Amino acid sequence: MNLKATNKTETNKYELEVEISAEDFNKALSEVAKTEGKKMSVSGFRKGHAPRSVIEKMYGENVFFEAAVDKLYRPAMQDAIEASGLEVIAVSNADVTSVSRENGIELKLTVVVKPVITIEGYKGIEATKKNVEVTDEDVSAELVKVQDRNSRMVDVDNRGALTGDTAVIDFEGFCDGKAFEGGKAEGFELSLGSGQFIPGFEDQIVGHEVGDEFEISVKFPEDYQAEELKGKDATFKIKLHQIKRKELPTLDDEFAKDVSEFDTLDEYKNSLREKLQSDREKQEETNVENQIFDALIEKVQGEIPEEMYEQEVEESINNFAYRLQSQGLNLETYLKYTGMDVNAIKEQFRPQSEKQLKLRLALEKIAELENLEVSDEAVEEEYEKLAKQYNMEVAQIKNLVAETQIRADLKNQKAIDFVKENASVKAEKPAKKTTRRKSTKKAAEEKTEETAEAKTEE
C-alpha cells in the first residue's frame, strides 16, 4: 500500500489517494483463483478442477478482480489511515478508481476526522447549591411509604365497596346488545379509584357488596384506542366476588423492629432522617455537577461533524438495547409496544447524545490544555476495580476493555475534578421571611385599648 496524497476537502474531511501495487494485486488474484475456482463449473472438467487460464478464458480475464479487490481493500484502507496520521472517526466514502494487472489498484477514500475544539472560560464556572433540609413532614411521608409497603390486604364482608378498596369481579361488556372483543374477564382485581378502567366504571362498583350481580352503563371516550368503541355507549354485567382493603401496620416500636435493625420507632425515624439528608445532599451534588456540565457544553467551539453525532446516537441506542435485554426485552419488541420506529427512537436519543458528545470533547480539550495525565498505576487500579465489580479476572477485563479506553475515561474524570475544583459554587440564599408591619393607626388603636384596660383594672 502506498499513500499517494492526503488532501483536505472541507472542514473535518480529507481525501486519501491510495495505491496497491501490481505485485500485491496479482498475488491476491492467484490466491483468490485457488479458492473461488473450486466453486466454478467448466464444461469438460470436474467441478473445481478447471485451470485458472481456462476459467478466465470462459468467464473473462477479470473474473477474479472483484474478489481480489475485496481481499485487499480493508487492510489497505486501515494502513492508509494510519499512514495519514489523521485522527479518523469515520470513512464517509470509498471508490476504486482503477484496477489492472499492470498497475494494480487505485483507491480514493473520503475520511471524517475528529474536529478541532476550542474552549475558554472553563475555570470559575458559576453554580448554585441549594440548602438541603429534611423536615419532620418529610420523615413522616417516608414513614408512610414504608408503612404502605408493609401493608396487607384483608377481606371485607360487612360493608359495601369503598374507593381505595380492591374489588375482585367478573365482567362482560356489551355494545348495541352484543358482546365485544376484550370486554370480558373473570376474577379480575380492580383497585377502585385507580382510574384503570374507563371513566364511570369504578365509581359504579362503589357501594355494592360481595355476591352482588348488577349492570353498569358507561361511555367510551372519543379518543379510546379501539376504533370500533370510540364514543360508544356500553353496558357491563358485573359480579362482585370479593372486596379487599389495605390494612396498615401500627407505627410503633414493634413496627421499627420488623422493618429495620432498630429497637424503637424514634431510632428508626432518626435513621430515615439521616438517609433522606444524605440522599438529598448527593442529589444536590449531582445538580451542581449538571450545572457545570451544561455550562461547559455551551463553551465548546468548533464544527462537529454529523458522523460523530450519528455514532453517539447509535452508541446510546445500543446501550439502551442492552439494558432492555437485561430486563428480558429486546429493542424490536419495545418499539412495537411503544409504536415507534428506528428513526423515532433516534430522534428521541439525539438531544442527550449531542450533549454527551460535546461534554466529552470539552473534557478531552481541558485535559490537553491542563496537561492532565493518568499514571500506569491508576490504569491498573481501574482494571482491578472493574474485575471486582463484574466478578471477573483482571486478564479477562483487559481482553474486553482496551487500555486506551480506560486511560481516556480516567483522564476525562480528572478533567471533571479539575473543573469542579475551580468552579465558583455559591449557596442559595434563604428566602427572606416577610413580616407585616402594623399601620400607625392600628398601632395607636391597640395602644389606646391597652391604656383603657389598665385604667379599668386600677
Side-chain angles (χ1 to χ4, degrees):
M1 187 284 304
N2 176 41
L3 179 60
K4 285 176 58 180
T6 302
N7 306 310
K8 187 172 184 178
T9 56
E10 55 184 286
T11 305
N12 302 320
K13 284 193 177 182
Y14 287 79
E15 183 181 76
L16 307 184
E17 296 181 22
V18 184
E19 286 181 332
I20 299 175
S21 68
E23 181 183 355
D24 289 340
F25 179 54
N26 283 294
K27 182 181 177 183
L29 279 174
S30 297
E31 293 172 354
V32 166
K34 289 179 182 178
T35 55
E36 296 298 314
K38 294 178 181 180
K39 305 173 187 177
M40 306 176 80
S41 298
V42 177
S43 180
F45 295 89
R46 283 185 298 152
K47 185 176 181 179
H49 285 74
R52 174 182 169 185
S53 58
V54 175
I55 294 173
E56 290 179 338
K57 186 175 182 179
M58 181 175 180
Y59 290 99
E61 67 170 6
N62 61 351
V63 63
F64 296 119
F65 275 27
E66 185 177 352
V69 170
D70 286 345
K71 183 178 179 66
L72 297 171
Y73 165 76
R74 290 193 179 280
M77 183 172 66
Q78 292 299 324
D79 290 344
I81 288 171
E82 283 187 28
S84 72
L86 300 171
E87 194 168 356
V88 174
I89 59 167
V91 177
S92 64
N93 193 43
D95 289 322
V96 178
T97 55
S98 69
V99 182
S100 70
R101 296 177 190 272
E102 296 76 24
N103 299 313
I105 306 170
E106 290 189 358
L107 304 170
K108 280 188 178 181
L109 308 176
T110 301
V111 297
V112 182
V113 299
K114 192 172 182 179
V116 176
I117 294 298
T118 60
I119 185 168
E120 296 178 354
Y122 56 86
K123 295 179 184 177
I125 289 176
E126 294 185 354
T128 302
K129 187 174 184 179
K130 294 179 181 178
N131 297 309
V132 176
E133 181 183 1
V134 176
T135 65
D136 292 342
E137 289 76 13
D138 294 331
V139 175
S140 295
E142 190 65 23
L143 199 59
V144 167
K145 292 179 185 177
V146 179
Q147 187 185 26
D148 186 69
R149 287 198 297 268
N150 288 272
S151 63
R152 66 190 184 101
M153 300 302 290
V154 296
D155 286 341
V156 175
D157 53 15
N158 59 351
R159 62 166 173 79
L162 301 174
T163 299
D165 288 342
T166 295
V168 182
I169 59 172
D170 296 342
F171 64 84
E172 185 172 14
F174 299 84
C175 272
D176 300 325
K178 294 181 181 179
F180 55 85
E181 186 178 353
K184 182 178 181 179
E186 295 180 354
F188 189 89
E189 293 195 0
L190 177 61
S191 178
L192 302 180
S194 64
Q196 186 178 355
F197 277 18
I198 58 176
F201 190 102
E202 296 166 22
D203 294 341
Q204 295 180 66
I205 295 175
V206 171
H208 286 281
E209 298 184 1
V210 172
D212 285 357
E213 295 186 37
F214 52 96
E215 291 186 0
I216 62 175
S217 297
V218 294
K219 186 181 183 68
F220 282 98
E222 295 293 341
D223 60 350
Y224 194 68
Q225 64 267 26
E227 190 68 33
E228 67 278 8
L229 296 175
K230 285 183 177 180
K232 287 213 170 179
D233 293 320
T235 300
F236 281 86
K237 293 182 178 180
I238 310 288
K239 183 171 183 179
L240 180 54
H241 290 288
Q242 190 179 6
I243 300 171
K244 297 188 286 186
R245 67 174 176 84
K246 186 181 291 185
E247 185 176 76
L248 299 175
T250 303
L251 294 177
D252 55 17
D253 291 346
E254 289 303 315
F255 172 80
K257 291 177 183 177
D258 289 340
V259 300
S260 72
E261 70 274 22
F262 299 100
D263 292 328
T264 68
L265 185 60
D266 286 340
E267 288 176 327
Y268 181 50
K269 284 181 178 180
N270 288 335
S271 76
L272 288 178
R273 185 183 295 275
E274 290 172 4
K275 184 177 184 306
L276 285 172
Q277 183 75 24
S278 175
D279 289 347
R280 291 185 182 183
E281 287 175 357
K282 288 177 183 176
Q283 181 59 46
E284 193 52 34
E285 287 293 334
T286 300
N287 179 46
V288 169
E289 192 173 78
N290 287 337
Q291 291 178 56
I292 294 171
F293 288 168
D294 287 342
L296 273 183
I297 289 167
E298 291 297 320
K299 295 178 185 300
V300 172
Q301 298 294 319
E303 189 174 328
I304 302 173
E306 178 62 24
E307 287 83 354
M308 284 194 83
Y309 287 126
E310 291 174 356
Q311 288 178 1
E312 194 71 25
V313 170
E314 288 294 332
E315 182 67 20
S316 296
I317 292 174
N318 288 339
N319 290 337
F320 178 65
Y322 180 78
R323 292 196 300 272
L324 286 176
Q325 190 176 0
S326 68
Q327 299 168 16
L329 192 67
N330 60 40
L331 183 60
E332 184 180 354
T333 305
Y334 172 82
L335 293 177
K336 185 192 296 183
Y337 284 163
T338 57
M340 300 173 69
D341 59 17
V342 174
N343 290 330
I345 199 169
K346 282 183 178 180
E347 285 301 314
Q348 185 182 69
F349 277 94
R350 175 78 185 217
Q352 186 59 31
S353 296
E354 287 185 0
K355 291 178 70 173
Q356 288 172 348
L357 175 58
K358 287 182 178 180
L359 178 60
R360 188 169 69 248
L361 291 172
L363 295 173
E364 288 173 358
K365 189 64 180 179
I366 291 167
E368 175 192 328
L369 292 171
E370 298 298 330
N371 298 313
L372 302 179
E373 295 297 335
V374 175
S375 67
D376 294 339
E377 291 79 6
V379 172
E380 286 301 317
E381 286 176 9
E382 186 65 16
Y383 271 126
E384 289 172 6
K385 187 189 298 181
L386 290 171
K388 186 175 181 180
Q389 180 180 345
Y390 293 103
N391 195 25
M392 297 171 69
E393 297 293 330
V394 172
Q396 292 177 289
I397 295 293
K398 288 185 175 182
N399 287 332
L400 294 172
V401 186
E403 181 183 331
T404 53
Q405 183 61 54
I406 293 288
R407 198 173 289 276
D409 289 345
L410 290 175
K411 191 176 287 189
N412 284 353
Q413 185 57 53
K414 291 190 77 170
I416 289 173
D417 295 339
F418 178 87
V419 173
K420 287 169 67 175
E421 287 166 6
N422 287 275
S424 175
V425 181
K426 298 178 181 178
E428 183 182 57
K429 292 182 180 179
K432 290 184 178 179
K433 294 182 179 180
T434 57
T435 56
R436 295 180 61 185
R437 296 180 62 185
K438 296 177 182 178
S439 68
T440 305
K441 182 180 178 182
K442 181 69 175 175
E445 289 175 350
E446 290 180 357
K447 185 66 176 174
T448 301
E449 289 174 358
E450 290 173 3
T451 303
E453 288 175 359
K455 287 183 177 180
T456 300
E457 290 174 358
E458 291 174 359

